[in-house]
Every structure is written in structure tokens, then in C-alpha cells.
Amino acid sequence: MSEGVEWALHSCVNLAWMEGRAVTAARLAALYSLPAAYLNKQLQLLAKAGILTSTPGPRGGFRLARPTSAITLLDVVTAIEGGEDAFRCQQILREGPGGRDDVDYRRTCAVSIGMRKAELAWRRELAAQTISDVIAQVERHNPDAPSRTRGQLM
Amino acid sequence: MSEGVEWALHSCVNLAWMEGRAVTAARLAALYSLPAAYLNKQLQLLAKAGILTSTPGPRGGFRLARPTSAITLLDVVTAIEGGEDAFRCQQILREGPGGRDDVDYRRTCAVSIGMRKAELAWRRELAAQTISDVIAQVERHNPDAPSRTRGQLM
DNA sequence: GAGTTATTACTCGGATAATCGTTGTCCGAGTAGGATAGG
DNA sequence: CCTATCCTACTCGGACAACGATTATCCGAGTAATAACTC
């Protein structure tokens, strides 16, 4: 899985603490000494997915497009990684004995079904957690994280 | 995810139908027109994980090391992909404000915990399914698959 | 004919390249704010 | 002093390389069956 997912999730949390103020990719990257231009790439993907809004020019940057309770971990993962399954059935049964070209083995192959079952469980668990949940847990263990981060980003 | 996982799973199913007879990597590969040498590599990983046993020389090949009901999908996936999580926390919080070097953020970071929760659900679902389950489903929809495959492999 | 030995063909096993995706970098399009000049 | 225009600096956005992992290939080590040879 792409490392950008981790960056994107942390950036969403940090943006949530900025209360709607725009933050540039460079500042978000400086927080964790990340390559700014590459983080920018990930934030663009989030913007394209409707999770962030971006504004160019001076005083520009990124900000959350929705309340944190309406952004699931699955939303962020899908935005960065794309919607395809990790296990993508190549339908090798088509080349096997009794294989047919007019059958979609992604639906019928027992191996594919079993793997897909696990992936759905993974997705379900990701969809059940929001950025809001993450923030709540962080603030419980580290109550001054929001103000400290805000100080670094302004 | 590596394409070899799909090959390995299908190979396990096919080996199960061979009732303990050894089958060479070349024959298993020919079933689906796969590159034999590369499939051999995956089968080696399964052997190293104790899922298959390998015997060299004439009349050699691979065979299942355990009953199909004792081989889970997770066993096969882990053998091919390795045991590491897909989402591997880089602990970027160490570089952030208030980051400490003596803290294992893989355990404490809320983002990491949330992602890990989903991965555990994925693993749990994979561990709940065995090769035996897959075979049962195949034979229900395609009762003559075992004999047909056996004919191709002998 | 039976046992023993040398041979041979076959298989896995690991070391070695080629390809593709991820990671990382750079420069251009567009914008908003500020400076400047005119009224 | 106020307003309109121009300019400048700053930001995102997408195009362009570098690295690493996956994919693919090849040849050697070892084994078991076979064939030949001896008793």
C-alpha cells in the first residue's frame, strides 16, 4: 500500500484542527519533514475526490471540504489508492481446462469470491471509522495536540 | 498484491485433486499457460512455509503437506506476500511536533490503530476460509472439475 | 538370473536480468493581494 | 485621499525522471529411476 495513505490521513487530521483555514502543502509537509511536492500530489488526489478543496494564489492552500464525521478512512484510502481491489482476479481459469471466454470468473471463481469476501470485510471496517473518530482518540491521549499543531501551521 | 497469490491458491486446489501424487511445476503451469519457472518460485515459497512438500528428481514435484481443511487462505497469502501489514506505519509522528523517539507509534498512533483494525478484519476473514471450503464450492458448481483436472495433470 | 554400480534424465533451488509501479522532482498556469499612478 | 490598473509573488496542477519491487528467466545441485555390467 502506498505510503501516501499515511500522509493523507495525518494531513486530514491536521487540517481539521485548522478550523477551515487554508494550509499550503509545503507547511503540511514541513510538519513531518516530508517531500513537499510529493505530498502536494497526494493532496491533489484528495481534492479530486472531493475530500479537500484547493485554492491557488497567495493565502491559498488546502482545507477540508466536509465535516470530519463525514470523511471515512475508506474515502481517503480510495482517493489515494484507487478503487480497485488489492487482489485482482486475472481470470486464469479461462486458460484452464473447461475455461470459457463468456464467463466472468471474477464473479464465479471460488478463489476470487473467497478473496473478495476478505476485502469487503476490510472495506467495511475502514468505512466504519471516520476522521472524527481518529481525532477523538488523539485528543483523549494528547489534549494539547490541536493547539500545538495549530501553532506550527500558522 | 502479487499475482502469485492467485496462482498459488489455484495450484493448491489442483494439487488437492491429485490425491497425494506429486506434480511438477511445469505441469501446473501448463494448465493455465503460466510461466513455469516463475510459478516454481511461488511453489517454493509455499514449500518453505510448510504448505507443500517438494521432491526433486524424476517422478518428483510438489504435493500438499497437510489436509486441505488445515490450509487457510491466510496461510497461502502470508507464504507468498510475507507477514507484513499492507499498511506499514512509517511513524512520521516522530518528526512532528511533540514527537518522541522512545515511543512506538505503530501501537499508539490513532491512524495506525485504525488501519490495523481493518487489516485484522481482513486477516480474520482469510483465516476463516480453508482450501477445503474453496474446493467444496467449486465441486458444487462444477462436479467434474476434479476428474478433468486430474486428466490434464497425469 | 540377481545384485551392484555407473549413467542419465529429470526436478527443484537459488542466482541473475527485465519490466512496471511507486516515489520523487521540476516548471508552468492561474490567482489574489499589494504597489503604483492618476483623479 | 480615493480609485482603478498593473505588477509581483505565491499556490496549485500536471508533466517529467529515479528508484525499488514485482515479474520473468536461466543454469547448477541433487536425486531417483534406468541401463549396463559382473558374479
Side-chain angles (χ1 to χ4, degrees):
Chain A
M1 171 170 306
S2 171
E3 190 177 359
V5 172
E6 186 178 2
W7 304 359
L9 287 169
H10 281 287
S11 294
C12 284
V13 170
N14 290 329
L15 282 173
W17 285 330
M18 293 307 288
E19 302 161 345
R21 272 182 289 267
V23 182
T24 70
R27 273 182 192 282
L28 284 170
L31 264 189
Y32 307 116
S33 309
L34 302 177
Y38 189 36
L39 176 62
N40 186 30
K41 204 179 187 54
Q42 319 292 346
L43 298 179
Q44 281 177 39
L45 291 174
L46 294 181
K48 196 164 289 186
I51 296 170
L52 304 183
T53 60
S54 64
T55 53
R59 306 271 305 164
F62 295 91
R63 66 194 81 192
L64 290 182
R66 302 201 291 264
T68 55
S69 59
I71 304 175
T72 69
L73 298 194
L74 181 61
D75 291 334
V76 175
V77 170
T78 300
I80 303 294
E81 293 277 292
E84 305 165 23
D85 289 350
F87 179 88
R88 54 204 193 294
C89 177
Q90 300 294 123
Q91 309 200 51
I92 63 176
L93 289 183
R94 286 212 173 135
E95 304 292 323
R100 310 216 176 286
D101 273 356
D102 58 350
V103 175
D104 185 356
Y105 286 103
R106 287 170 296 187
R107 304 281 179 190
T108 61
C109 167
V111 168
S112 188
I113 290 174
M115 293 299 293
R116 182 157 182 77
K117 204 169 166 185
E119 286 221 15
L120 287 178
W122 179 68
R123 287 191 140 77
R124 192 177 311 124
E125 203 67 36
L126 285 181
Q129 301 180 71
T130 67
I131 297 293
S132 175
D133 299 330
V134 172
I135 289 179
Q137 189 173 343
V138 171
E139 294 187 355
R140 177 172 311 158
H141 286 5
N142 215 336
D144 54 344
S147 65
R148 178 160 46 192
T149 301
R150 215 174 301 144
Q152 292 270 341
L153 286 179
M154 286 180 64
Chain B
M1 173 170 305
S2 172
E3 190 177 359
V5 171
E6 186 178 2
W7 304 359
L9 287 169
H10 281 287
S11 293
C12 284
V13 170
N14 290 329
L15 282 174
W17 285 331
M18 292 308 288
E19 302 161 346
R21 273 183 289 268
V23 181
T24 70
R27 273 183 191 281
L28 284 170
L31 264 190
Y32 307 116
S33 310
L34 301 177
Y38 188 37
L39 175 62
N40 186 30
K41 204 178 185 55
Q42 318 294 345
L43 297 178
Q44 281 178 40
L45 291 174
L46 293 181
K48 195 164 287 184
I51 296 170
L52 303 183
T53 61
S54 65
T55 54
R59 306 271 306 163
F62 294 92
R63 66 195 82 190
L64 290 182
R66 303 201 289 266
T68 55
S69 59
I71 304 175
T72 69
L73 299 193
L74 181 60
D75 291 335
V76 175
V77 170
T78 300
I80 303 294
E81 293 277 292
E84 306 165 21
D85 289 349
F87 178 90
R88 53 204 194 294
C89 177
Q90 301 295 123
Q91 308 199 52
I92 63 176
L93 289 182
R94 286 213 173 134
E95 304 292 325
R100 311 217 176 284
D101 274 355
D102 58 350
V103 175
D104 185 356
Y105 285 103
R106 287 170 296 188
R107 306 279 179 189
T108 61
C109 166
V111 167
S112 187
I113 291 174
M115 293 299 293
R116 182 159 182 75
K117 204 169 166 185
E119 285 222 15
L120 288 178
W122 179 69
R123 287 190 140 78
R124 193 177 309 123
E125 204 67 36
L126 284 181
Q129 300 179 73
T130 67
I131 297 293
S132 175
D133 299 331
V134 172
I135 288 179
Q137 189 174 343
V138 171
E139 294 186 356
R140 178 173 310 158
H141 286 4
N142 216 338
D144 54 345
S147 65
R148 179 161 46 194
T149 301
R150 217 174 300 145
Q152 292 271 340
L153 286 179
M154 285 180 67

